[in-house]
Amino acid sequence: MNVIEIRDLQKCYGKAQALKGLDLTVKKGEVLGLIGPNGAGKTTTVRILLGLLKKSSGTAKVFGKDAWDEAVEIHKRLSYVPDDVRLWPKLTGGEVIDFLASLRGGINEERRARYIERFEFDPSKRCQSYSKGNRQKLALIAALSADVDLIVFDEPTGGLDPLMSKVFQQCVAELKDEGKTVLMSSHILADVEKLCDRVAIISHGRIVETGTLDEMRHMKRNVVTVRTVRPLEKLHELEGVHNVQKNGEEVSFQADNEQIDAIMRFLTDHGIRSIVSAPPTLEDLFMRHYEEGYKKEEVTRHETE
Amino acid sequence: MRRSEFRKTLLLIKHAFRIEKIRYLVWVAGIFSLMLVATHVNGQFTAEEMKEIVILSTGEPGMRMLVSPITEEGVSEISRFVFFRFSFIFSILFAIMSVQIVTRLTRLEEDASRAELVATSGAGRYARLSSALIVAFTVNLVAAFGMMLGLVINGLEFSGSLVAGLSYAGLGIVVAAFSALAAELSGNASSATGFSAITFGAFFVLNALANVTGNVHEDALGFESSFLAWFTPMGWTQEVYPFDDRNLWIFAFFLAAFVLVSLGAFYFVDKRDVGRGVLADRQGREHAPVWMRRPLGLVWRLQRGAFLAWVIPVAFLGIAFGAATEDLGVNFEDHEYFGEAFAEAAREMPFILTAVTAMVVSFYARVALLKMRKEEASGPLENVLSTPLPRLRWMAGHVLVGMAGSVILVLTYAFTQALVIIESPADIGEHLLGGLVQAGPVFLIAGLIIALFGLVPRRAGAVTIALILFFILAGSFFGPILDLPNAVKNLSPFTHADFLPENASIAKIITLYILGGLFAAIGFLAFKRRNLSF
Ligand SMILES: Nc1ncnc2c1ncn2[C@@H]1O[C@H](COP(=O)(O)OP(=O)(O)OP(=O)(O)O)[C@@H](O)[C@H]1O
Ligand SMILES: [Mg+2]
């Protein structure tokens, strides 16, 4: 069963179109990572799923129910940690946690105490005195203490220190063991790599790639490092070759899988001395999409000028 | 106080003028135009009419709270007469302007954590405060010139007009210094504004008492205030007599108070960290009490500070004004010419004051109801509405406190005032009825605020303040003073609530309440259907 189902989702803010036909599904018990450059539409997507924003067209369903029309029903079974956690300055952290928990149907004192301890959080201070990381911890504690089926995190670790990030990772791993579904947007690749079963890359309001990390790793491009007898002068003109870098004798570049045959023939013509070919690291993979994202943005900016 | 701590003050001043210039322009233009129009309109009275108006209001201790002292020779001169009637309004305008300038430049910026940025960009510790004070000082001066211009265009003498303008700027800078102190003492912008409002309230009450206990000239041709006027900057302004004695030495008072109170504010800068107040921050509860865990309980927790900050002064003012108007008319019953007019006016007086209170309470309605917008734009609403709490239930709590709170405030005033005035307990009903009548327009305004929050959340703040100011100026109290055409006066809900309950049309009052409810319903529907906007 799909816990989240988004089809052809579009969202316009006035004239600006933030989502341009986004498709995404999250299965029950799955941890899905949503990554993409700034302004790609992650927060917008999440807010539509929570019924905080209204979609312009398409479908957005959670637990099989429409995200806008049946928001209250849906909210009984999910909790949410927003991107920018804002609180009531005069209330204490503990008061806020209790209030949010009561809205979600009651406080589980045991869980509350456990998470407060794990995140080393001081609930007796007023919210105005919490740092960004502490505000985030508060929202995490409130969300994790609730007994729900789906948890949505929007960049949950942005303000956490490495130690607390680690605690967070353990918490998500436990959720996974309990069979809960998690949707998490993040810029922190290490978190995504460790935690997520599946990754969806979003760019300019569309999902441009989705799959398990293994699937993605083997798709598309390999990183090739090669030494040849004759210098590879015209390599960069070849179709399917990217990012050529010279390191003394050694040349490394990325090669599209579809063109690998032609590229190998070209290399052999220059007399191969040694060659190493490896699947790209996650970072290579993400960087490519991020860079393309920004490039496209420049193009559209030029067009509009 | 080291000099280096003032580093980058000039930069911050420029920054303030850059981002706030429209706001300042509106204030100055508003003060200029009000002065221009008020002088022009009141200039249409004949000398005899002016005299009569002065005699009528001077004779009533209650009315003296809202006017300024005037010399016997001045009673039929437009230059004195216009300040006799408008001193109160201009004092309030200069005060609100100054509080707003200082609070926005100090606490609001800190709340938005912009101040931290400034602090790390190399500005000195005192730069923020000194720039806010200098900006407030400058804008007050410019506003004084605007006021002078409004008078001079109407043909009034230049130097007197200038001194008149400056006497209000003097009040403005003292209030600015007090807001600076309030901003340093309290934890955030809204409690800083609250402190400043209470300070100004105290200035006003002292001044009102000074006028009530003042010395009435023979035949009620104006009055002088008592020695109490020296304890309040509002009184200093009224003691300047720009067109008579021209007591320029009083400006030394303004400057001294400005400097001393500002020094106090600077003293507290050293005592606290950026973003905190001196008074705030003690250890709090680890658990929420049970009542606070319910949506309505939390709303009350969030709203009670503002409500208490209003209800206590309102109850106090009711008692004070009630006491001041109690013996109204008694002294004049035997007056051969005015006796009857006084008796009638004396009976109407407390009801007029209830109406003025209702006008002021519409600002409470705005503060309480726009709390919703604050929760949405810079508060945790996103988090709250991602729980099973339905949008409309969340909204209902704030609407309840805002609407019921406004009505209760007006009734509180009517009640405490009545306690002092009435001769038999049976009369209290009449005063409460008067309160309900005057709360009608406030209820309608509250409904409008809710509708605007639902329909145009980003504009609601600016639109509601403009609407309320317009309704008050066009309403039953100021509309006639400004001599506005009926078509304009009828646009204000206050016009439709007559002062005396027996004169008020029940149908009209019920309509006010129904319209308020309808507007609120529109607000609910609109909010249910719209995007949250951050
Ligand atoms: N209220 C708004 N009005 C107009 N445009 C908006 C609004 N909110 C978001 N946008 C635009 O919609 C696009 C998507 O924004 P969104 O916040 O969803 O991005 P994001 O992927 O969460 O980015 P980030 O990684 O920076 O959090 C951006 O181009 C943004 O400028
Ligand atoms: Mg985002």
Side-chain angles (χ1 to χ4, degrees):
Chain A
M1 198 200 106
N2 289 331
V3 171
I4 294 177
E5 212 176 316
I6 301 176
R7 249 177 293 121
D8 195 25
L9 184 64
Q10 311 214 3
K11 171 72 192 173
C12 302
Y13 291 107
K15 273 188 199 151
Q17 194 173 12
L19 300 184
K20 306 169 181 167
L22 185 130
D23 296 282
L24 183 70
T25 52
V26 182
K27 287 195 272 297
K28 190 168 186 307
E30 187 173 55
V31 178
L32 184 115
L34 192 58
I35 61 175
N38 292 132
K42 301 181 291 294
T43 302
T44 305
T45 308
V46 165
R47 282 179 174 161
I48 289 177
L49 282 176
L50 287 154
L52 300 171
L53 296 181
K54 216 169 165 176
K55 68 192 176 210
S56 303
S57 68
T59 41
K61 288 186 171 180
V62 182
F63 303 123
K65 297 181 171 118
D66 184 86
W68 177 264
D69 295 332
E70 298 185 73
V72 172
E73 280 304 306
I74 293 170
H75 293 171
K76 288 180 184 161
R77 295 173 59 192
L78 67 76
S79 52
Y80 169 49
V81 178
D83 180 4
D84 175 19
V85 179
R86 290 164 307 186
L87 303 163
W88 296 284
K90 296 284 171 205
L91 266 56
T92 65
E95 287 171 337
V96 175
I97 293 174
D98 284 350
F99 176 68
L100 291 175
S102 306
L103 291 183
R104 291 211 173 89
I107 304 159
N108 183 331
E109 289 294 346
E110 183 265 323
R111 285 174 80 106
R112 178 190 191 273
R114 180 150 50 94
Y115 284 113
I116 284 182
E117 196 185 316
R118 285 175 79 175
F119 281 105
E120 294 177 25
F121 181 75
D122 178 357
S124 67
K125 284 218 230 142
R126 278 166 205 279
C127 293
Q128 63 195 6
S129 63
Y130 287 130
S131 63
K132 177 172 163 46
N134 275 322
R135 291 201 301 272
Q136 216 151 30
K137 283 192 210 168
L138 186 155
L140 286 171
I141 293 166
L144 290 165
S145 318
D147 188 17
V148 290
D149 302 319
L150 167 68
I151 303 198
V152 180
F153 299 109
D154 194 359
E155 290 185 43
T157 51
L160 298 186
D161 63 41
L163 200 69
M164 288 303 133
S165 286
K166 199 146 194 178
V167 175
F168 171 73
Q169 287 173 8
Q170 283 161 5
C171 293
V172 175
E174 287 163 19
L175 292 176
K176 193 150 82 174
D177 291 342
E178 292 170 32
K180 306 208 158 148
T181 313
V182 177
L183 172 64
M184 175 176 134
S185 95
S186 180
H187 287 298
I188 301 183
L189 301 178
D191 282 350
V192 175
E193 191 169 9
K194 278 207 197 85
L195 300 172
C196 298
D197 302 318
R198 239 160 32 98
V199 177
I201 301 181
I202 179 172
S203 173
H204 290 275
R206 283 196 190 88
I207 300 290
V208 289
E209 207 155 321
T210 147
T212 64
L213 287 178
D214 272 347
E215 279 166 12
M216 282 191 163
R217 246 192 275 262
H218 291 107
M219 261 185 318
K220 306 269 160 100
R221 281 185 194 177
N222 279 324
V223 178
V224 179
T225 311
V226 65
R227 271 169 201 255
T228 49
V229 181
R230 286 181 294 283
L232 292 165
E233 253 146 28
K234 298 209 161 154
L235 178 65
H236 60 276
E237 290 171 10
L238 234 59
E239 212 182 322
V241 171
H242 310 271
N243 264 347
V244 180
Q245 277 168 347
K246 282 208 171 99
N247 245 335
E249 295 244 304
E250 216 169 65
V251 177
S252 63
F253 60 93
Q254 294 179 0
D256 282 354
N257 280 354
E258 300 101 71
Q259 310 292 333
I260 198 78
D261 191 45
I263 296 170
M264 288 312 263
R265 233 175 282 145
F266 176 85
L267 293 179
T268 338
D269 286 347
H270 290 73
I272 300 177
R273 279 204 185 128
S274 73
I275 185 165
V276 179
S277 168
T281 62
L282 259 186
E283 202 159 316
D284 292 333
L285 202 71
F286 296 143
M287 283 308 172
R288 205 180 99 212
H289 283 291
Y290 275 42
E291 276 159 14
E292 273 171 16
Y294 282 113
K295 255 183 238 148
K296 242 193 244 168
E297 201 161 287
E298 262 161 36
V299 172
T300 44
R301 213 180 296 144
H302 284 303
E303 279 167 3
T304 51
E305 262 165 21
Chain B
M1 220 190 255
R2 265 170 302 117
R3 212 175 159 164
S4 63
E5 296 296 5
F6 288 98
R7 238 177 5 244
K8 301 251 166 133
T9 299
L10 198 63
L11 181 88
L12 293 190
I13 293 174
K14 281 188 198 150
H15 181 67
F17 277 111
R18 198 164 51 237
I19 55 173
E20 303 273 89
K21 58 176 177 265
I22 304 279
R23 191 177 291 273
Y24 300 160
L25 265 177
V26 170
W27 272 114
V28 172
I31 285 170
F32 161 73
S33 345
L34 186 63
M35 193 74 259
L36 188 70
V37 172
T39 315
H40 177 74
V41 167
N42 284 276
Q44 310 301 311
F45 287 117
T46 64
E48 202 49 37
E49 285 167 331
M50 287 189 207
K51 203 165 166 179
E52 273 173 36
I53 293 175
V54 170
I55 293 175
L56 267 174
S57 356
T58 303
E60 302 170 21
M63 201 58 177
R64 289 208 293 274
M65 294 187 239
L66 302 178
V67 296
S68 84
I70 188 167
T71 54
E72 254 175 284
E73 305 77 55
V75 289
S76 46
E77 300 277 341
I78 178 64
S79 55
R80 285 77 158 179
F81 180 73
V82 71
F83 283 104
F84 174 75
R85 300 188 99 188
F86 280 83
S87 177
F88 175 64
I89 300 184
F90 280 108
S91 300
I92 288 185
L93 287 178
F94 273 79
I96 297 181
M97 173 177 84
S98 302
V99 171
Q100 202 192 47
I101 293 173
V102 172
T103 312
R104 285 186 65 86
L105 292 182
T106 52
R107 297 313 308 221
L108 212 59
E109 291 243 306
E110 272 189 27
D111 290 354
S113 67
R114 253 177 297 176
E116 255 172 276
L117 251 173
V118 174
T120 52
S121 78
R125 287 168 70 80
Y126 299 140
R128 175 134 309 254
L129 195 56
S130 54
S131 64
L133 285 167
I134 292 171
V135 170
F137 194 99
T138 315
V139 178
N140 267 295
L141 273 188
V142 178
F145 281 106
M147 205 164 163
M148 180 268 289
L149 214 58
L151 291 164
V152 170
I153 291 177
N154 277 295
L156 269 65
E157 171 221 345
F158 170 77
S159 52
S161 305
L162 182 61
V163 173
L166 290 174
S167 67
Y168 290 88
L171 170 66
I173 60 169
V174 175
V175 173
F178 272 99
S179 331
L181 183 65
E184 294 309 318
L185 284 175
S186 62
N188 59 36
S190 49
S191 51
T193 311
F195 273 158
S196 306
I198 290 173
T199 313
F200 183 72
F203 291 168
F204 168 73
V205 169
L206 268 176
N207 179 252
L209 288 176
N211 289 356
V212 169
T213 57
N215 183 12
V216 177
H217 301 143
E218 204 171 320
D219 287 331
L221 285 171
F223 68 99
E224 282 161 22
S225 40
S226 68
F227 73 100
L228 284 173
W230 297 112
F231 295 96
T232 156
M234 225 177 129
W236 304 345
T237 300
Q238 300 184 354
E239 291 298 321
V240 170
Y241 289 104
F243 296 98
D244 301 284
D245 295 350
R246 201 168 293 165
N247 298 322
L248 293 180
W249 49 271
I250 289 180
F251 285 98
F253 278 41
F254 289 126
L255 288 173
F258 174 71
V259 170
L260 281 178
V261 179
S262 301
L263 283 177
F266 281 114
Y267 171 77
F268 283 112
V269 173
D270 289 330
K271 294 265 164 220
R272 71 190 191 89
D273 301 328
V274 174
R276 310 267 159 78
V278 176
L279 300 179
D281 259 32
R282 45 204 157 82
Q283 281 261 317
R285 284 189 279 244
E286 287 195 16
H287 279 276
V290 175
W291 62 268
M292 227 173 89
R293 298 179 186 187
R294 310 183 52 80
L296 196 58
L298 187 86
V299 167
W300 173 242
R301 170 68 186 79
L302 298 173
Q303 294 265 10
R304 69 177 181 197
F307 183 74
L308 293 177
W310 276 78
V311 78
I312 295 168
V314 159
F316 175 72
L317 281 182
I319 294 171
F321 285 2
T325 49
E326 192 191 354
D327 295 328
L328 264 189
V330 175
N331 311 339
F332 291 92
E333 252 154 29
D334 307 329
H335 198 289
E336 81 235 44
Y337 177 51
F338 285 118
E340 213 164 294
F342 271 128
E344 183 52 31
R347 208 179 90 64
E348 201 175 9
M349 196 57 214
F351 296 97
I352 296 178
L353 289 173
T354 306
V356 173
T357 305
M359 293 176 190
V360 178
V361 166
S362 39
F363 286 102
Y364 166 78
R366 178 175 178 274
V367 171
L369 291 166
L370 287 188
K371 183 96 186 160
M372 292 191 286
R373 176 61 193 147
K374 225 172 144 190
E375 294 271 293
E376 180 184 16
S378 58
L381 186 61
E382 180 175 19
N383 226 324
V384 171
L385 290 186
S386 67
T387 70
L389 179 67
R391 284 185 177 208
L392 296 191
R393 260 194 74 202
W394 166 79
M395 197 170 165
H398 286 281
V399 167
L400 181 72
V401 172
M403 287 188 122
S406 303
V407 175
I408 291 173
L409 281 175
V410 180
L411 288 180
T412 303
Y413 178 83
F415 180 73
T416 54
Q417 180 177 251
L419 283 185
V420 186
I421 297 177
I422 51 166
E423 274 148 25
S424 86
D427 295 343
I428 207 153
E430 190 193 15
H431 285 270
L432 287 179
L433 194 65
L436 267 184
V437 167
Q438 297 305 329
V442 185
F443 196 81
L444 182 140
I445 291 174
L448 266 178
I449 297 169
I450 297 164
L452 287 166
F453 164 72
L455 293 168
V456 283
R458 283 166 196 270
R459 305 261 155 72
V463 176
T464 49
I465 192 101
L467 265 182
I468 292 175
L469 284 176
F470 169 72
F471 286 161
I472 290 179
L473 286 178
S476 50
F477 188 78
F478 295 114
I481 301 184
L482 289 169
D483 203 19
L484 294 172
N486 279 340
V488 175
K489 282 190 283 191
N490 282 338
L491 288 176
S492 168
F494 291 109
T495 303
H496 303 284
D498 285 295
F499 296 129
L500 287 171
E502 70 252 30
N503 292 348
S505 132
I506 298 196
K508 271 188 183 174
I509 300 304
I510 291 178
T511 310
L512 289 177
Y513 278 97
I514 291 179
L515 281 178
L518 277 180
F519 283 130
I522 291 174
F524 274 101
L525 283 181
F527 180 67
K528 190 178 158 70
R529 300 163 60 105
R530 75 166 165 83
N531 289 320
L532 290 200
S533 87
F534 302 92

